[in-house]
Amino acid sequence: MAKQDLSQWLTTVAAAELMGCHRRHVLALVAAGKLEAVRVGWSHLVRKSSARAWVRDASGRGRPKAKGRKPK
């Protein structure tokens, strides 16, 4: 059996550290199909390039800042 190159894959914990979010958020992104990942037993491995792309593309994430009251 040939050895698999795992250098291009991250655990969900490592992906969360790279992306600056929590592991549960990484799992939610995987479930939503927004991150490329494979399931290995009970764990997921996230493709490193997919996690980096998520970090680069910040559009559509987060909430807009609340606008303050207008002065009279």
Side-chain angles (χ1 to χ4, degrees):
M1 187 157 124
K3 260 189 172 178
Q4 297 292 329
D5 179 24
L6 296 177
S7 65
Q8 297 303 311
W9 297 90
L10 300 168
T11 63
T12 53
V13 173
E17 288 176 8
L18 177 90
M19 296 164 59
C21 62
H22 197 277
R23 179 181 169 270
R24 280 182 251 147
H25 186 65
V26 172
L27 290 172
L29 290 170
V30 168
K34 295 182 180 183
L35 280 180
E36 185 179 352
V38 293
R39 188 158 184 183
V40 181
W42 289 92
S43 303
H44 288 85
L45 294 177
V46 177
R47 186 174 292 277
K48 195 180 289 187
S49 60
S50 181
R52 285 184 178 148
W54 187 88
V55 171
R56 275 193 313 270
D57 179 30
S59 64
R61 291 192 312 224
R63 291 186 239 170
K65 292 187 178 187
K67 295 181 181 176
R69 296 177 73 184
K70 292 183 181 178
K72 292 184 179 183

